[in-house]
Amino acid sequence: MKNRTLFLTIIGSFFFSNLFAQKIQLDSLDIQIHELIKDFEIPGLSIGIVRNDSIIFSKGYGNLEVHEKSKVNEHTIFGIGSISKSFTALTLGILVDEGKINWDDKVLKYLPYFELYDPYVTNNFTIRDLLTHRSGLKDVSGGTLWYHSDFSRVEIIKKLKHLQPISGFREKPAYQNVMYVVASEIVKEVSGMSWDKFVKTKVFDKLKMNNSVSISAERESNKNLAKPHIWNEAYEKVAIIQEKGDNLAPGGFIYSSATDMSNYMRLMLNDGLFNSDTIVNPKIIKEIFTPQIIYPLGGRYSNEFTSYGFGWWLTPINGHKIIEHSGGIDGMQAQLVMIKDLNIGFIILANETEEPSTFVLKTILLEQLIDNKSSDFYSRAKTWRDNNVKKKKEAPNKVSKTENTMPSLLIKAYSGKYTDKMYGDILIDYNENNELEISFTHSQVFKGKLEHWHFDTFKIDWLDVRVPDGFLTFNFNSKREILGFSLDQENLLDVDFGELNILKNKN
């Protein structure tokens, strides 16, 4: 879900032209996509393009799963990641349109259990704040609460009070996922139905998005489901089991197809109108697409800023308004771009995350739209990709184990129950082979074996292939009693392990 940087790179390279071609070369697009799939080793990809309230291109490429025969088509469902946020914003917009809520209503009005670290922020936090990344928390804060966890949406919300801010309330932006979980529970409280049912009946059904789902059980029952892929330790692409994601569906776990998302773009580009039916008032769409907080870009780009509306990145380029969002979850990536005044939009879905595939294809389409034919972006992207793959395959383990060091205590003494006040219990177990094992009690993905590495530092060999190896260091007081441990662990997707303060239970 953090994969949402849109034009922070692309603006400087591709928007110097003042003339939009307003035409996508569909006859050559098919050839380019086949080339992309081969060059970037993409298992499967689907694309939809709309213009003037019509779907002008919708097609699938590749396979549902690598090395399998089942083919992707325009109805194959993929994870759309953080593009899900725009649906949550729309559900709230529908309630505003119905006169049941206002954008500036306090969250406490609907969720009395909502609490953040600072009482002032808690008391003044509005629905508008939920949607615009200005809580004061650090970027993608609270990832350990939802990632592969069994915490419900309400349980996640009740734990937000433990997250410490790093900036002032509404002072500057920092991208969030968990605030969209809060937003979804307001939909539930006001409408009397779950957010999942609301988005299905009020959005999916009305837009004939017949294959779109927010509930994992429904997703997994669809035979036309793209499987997520990542690199394994041998740097080969393998399919993995997607996490349920139900607790973060409002912020990142809707699954949809190219055709379904094309209908969604038609609604948004047509100001709330779909097949002559008004789904939501145009003033709601206008507010959703209104900049709410500025994200600075820096002087090297042709624009000095982009902004965020309600679930959308908004960037003015040469008098045109670019509306977009990207999405990424384990083994899935997506890009959605709309050029409002040209009434053009496209969606790109792929079932892998280690390649810049959807970004590259987005760039190809934008090059055609802006008539910039001199760019060599594709060849540069391929060269970068090939060098990156080669480097990772050949790079040796730079961290060497320190020989002839001993831990301060017997191995068994490190076992026990440890706790982070926000997350809960983390267990260090001692097995019959004189080994230590770590397990996060609410997240099955975080289980692994500990290997002594250096004094009181242990290497973590996580059992799940998607979690890179890390290190754990036990902390002591002057009496040589274990106080807790800290993690030296690469952040995973939107999980920041540095937010955890893990202490040993005294019991």
Side-chain angles (χ1 to χ4, degrees):
M1 273 102 352
K2 193 178 178 181
N3 178 24
R4 73 317 183 207
T5 53
L6 171 62
F7 303 112
L8 304 191
T9 303
I10 200 171
I11 284 175
S13 300
F14 301 112
F15 279 105
F16 291 109
S17 171
N18 289 319
L19 178 63
F20 275 69
Q22 301 186 34
K23 180 179 179 182
I24 295 174
Q25 300 167 14
L26 299 180
D27 53 348
S28 62
L29 179 61
D30 195 70
I31 298 173
Q32 292 172 317
I33 293 176
H34 281 292
E35 181 182 19
L36 179 77
I37 286 176
K38 179 181 177 181
D39 288 343
F40 290 83
E41 299 181 57
I42 306 168
L45 181 146
S46 190
I47 179 172
I49 305 173
V50 301
R51 184 179 181 186
N52 297 331
D53 202 27
S54 296
I55 300 175
I56 63 172
F57 192 85
S58 187
K59 189 173 180 180
Y61 300 82
N63 302 324
L64 300 180
E65 184 174 349
V66 67
H67 307 313
E68 296 293 331
K69 295 182 179 180
S70 298
K71 298 297 182 181
V72 171
N73 59 37
E74 67 273 23
H75 301 297
T76 299
I77 61 171
F78 293 77
I80 67 170
S82 284
I83 301 171
S84 305
K85 292 179 173 64
S86 67
F87 284 90
T88 298
L90 180 59
T91 58
L92 288 165
I94 291 171
L95 292 176
V96 172
D97 193 22
E98 293 174 351
K100 295 179 179 178
I101 64 172
N102 291 302
W103 295 116
D104 293 306
D105 283 346
K106 303 291 177 59
V107 174
L108 283 176
K109 178 179 179 180
Y110 305 104
L111 305 179
Y113 57 85
F114 174 74
E115 182 180 359
L116 297 179
Y117 193 81
D118 186 328
Y120 173 82
V121 178
T122 299
N123 290 327
N124 289 278
F125 216 84
T126 67
I127 293 173
R128 188 181 301 272
D129 295 320
L130 291 175
L131 303 177
T132 52
H133 308 308
R134 57 192 196 185
S135 64
L137 296 174
K138 67 191 302 186
D139 209 34
V140 298
S141 193
T144 51
L145 292 177
W146 62 263
Y147 184 73
H148 283 264
S149 83
D150 58 14
F151 290 126
S152 68
R153 294 172 193 169
V154 171
E155 287 173 326
I156 289 172
I157 295 170
K158 289 182 177 180
K159 290 176 175 290
L160 298 182
K161 62 184 178 182
H162 299 294
L163 293 171
Q164 297 190 31
I166 61 169
S167 66
F169 178 38
R170 299 174 183 159
E171 178 183 333
K172 60 182 181 180
Y175 190 83
Q176 299 297 322
N177 293 309
V178 291
M179 292 304 166
Y180 275 77
V181 176
V182 182
S184 73
E185 286 301 300
I186 292 178
V187 173
K188 177 182 177 180
E189 289 299 316
V190 174
S191 69
M193 65 179 80
S194 70
W195 173 85
D196 305 273
K197 184 175 181 181
F198 190 94
V199 75
K200 183 181 187 311
T201 57
K202 298 285 189 175
V203 182
F204 295 162
D205 290 349
K206 290 182 179 295
L207 300 184
K208 302 187 185 306
M209 299 177 68
N210 300 323
N211 293 304
S212 299
V213 295
S214 64
I215 299 172
S216 59
E218 296 176 6
R219 173 189 80 206
E220 296 300 322
S221 66
N222 190 325
K223 294 182 180 179
N224 197 4
L225 168 68
K227 303 297 182 182
H229 294 80
I230 63 171
W231 294 108
N232 62 13
E233 293 181 353
Y235 225 73
E236 300 168 332
K237 277 195 179 143
V238 294
I240 58 173
I241 298 174
Q242 187 61 271
E243 67 168 302
K244 289 183 178 181
D246 293 23
N247 55 7
L248 196 75
F253 270 88
I254 286 176
Y255 263 62
S256 189
S257 69
T259 299
D260 283 7
M261 291 300 292
S262 294
N263 282 347
Y264 181 52
M265 289 187 290
R266 290 172 57 200
L267 173 82
M268 303 306 285
L269 288 169
N270 208 24
D271 295 325
L273 197 68
F274 181 77
N275 287 348
S276 300
D277 290 332
T278 299
I279 307 302
V280 65
N281 192 290
K283 67 180 182 181
I284 300 298
I285 301 298
K286 181 179 179 180
E287 185 69 13
I288 286 173
F289 289 160
T290 296
Q292 303 290 331
I293 190 165
I294 301 300
Y295 274 75
L297 296 181
R300 61 175 291 193
Y301 300 104
S302 58
N303 285 70
E304 295 181 353
F305 67 92
T306 186
S307 62
Y308 202 83
F310 293 155
W312 294 100
W313 297 95
L314 310 165
T315 309
I317 305 292
N318 296 332
H320 299 272
K321 187 172 187 176
I322 311 301
I323 303 166
E324 73 87 40
H325 217 292
S326 60
I329 55 177
D330 286 342
M332 291 281 175
Q333 60 175 298
Q335 300 278 350
L336 190 156
V337 178
M338 295 180 288
I339 304 174
K340 185 77 164 95
D341 57 298
L342 301 181
N343 213 3
I344 293 174
F346 56 84
I347 178 72
I348 307 165
L349 306 165
N351 58 345
E352 52 84 20
T353 49
E354 302 298 331
E355 310 278 7
S357 56
T358 61
F359 181 82
V360 170
L361 183 53
K362 177 178 73 173
T363 303
I364 291 172
L365 293 172
L366 285 172
E367 283 185 311
Q368 294 181 12
L369 288 171
I370 64 175
D371 204 20
N372 187 338
K373 298 179 180 179
S374 62
S375 170
D376 62 345
F377 177 80
Y378 186 90
S379 61
R380 288 187 286 116
K382 185 179 182 303
T383 298
W384 174 88
R385 181 265 178 195
D386 291 344
N387 290 338
N388 188 50
V389 171
K390 181 179 180 182
K391 180 180 178 181
K392 288 186 176 181
K393 285 183 176 180
E394 295 177 351
N397 188 349
K398 296 181 180 180
V399 182
S400 300
K401 181 178 180 179
T402 305
E403 301 295 337
N404 302 319
T405 65
M406 298 291 292
S408 300
L409 305 174
L410 295 175
I411 292 295
K412 187 176 183 179
Y414 293 91
S415 64
K417 181 185 291 186
Y418 296 76
T419 301
D420 171 75
K421 62 182 179 180
M422 175 185 70
Y423 176 85
D425 293 338
I426 301 171
L427 306 180
I428 303 289
D429 293 317
Y430 176 78
N431 64 30
E432 58 187 11
N433 296 320
N434 195 35
E435 296 175 330
L436 295 175
E437 299 174 340
I438 184 172
S439 59
F440 283 52
T441 54
H442 294 283
S443 311
Q444 292 294 314
V445 71
F446 296 136
K447 287 188 176 183
K449 294 184 178 180
L450 302 184
E451 173 191 358
H452 180 253
W453 200 254
H454 174 73
F455 294 113
D456 294 305
T457 295
F458 291 73
K459 182 179 180 181
I460 311 173
D461 179 13
W462 297 106
L463 301 182
D464 195 292
V465 66
R466 79 194 81 197
V467 187
D469 292 346
F471 294 90
L472 180 159
T473 300
F474 290 94
N475 308 312
F476 291 78
N477 62 18
S478 59
K479 299 178 182 179
R480 296 183 65 193
E481 297 171 332
I482 297 176
L483 297 176
F485 64 80
S486 58
L487 292 169
D488 181 5
Q489 175 69 48
E490 179 181 341
N491 287 347
L492 186 66
L493 190 64
D494 293 339
V495 177
D496 183 355
F497 292 93
E499 290 187 320
L500 300 178
N501 181 28
I502 305 167
L503 302 176
K504 188 171 185 180
N505 286 19
K506 295 181 180 180
N507 296 335

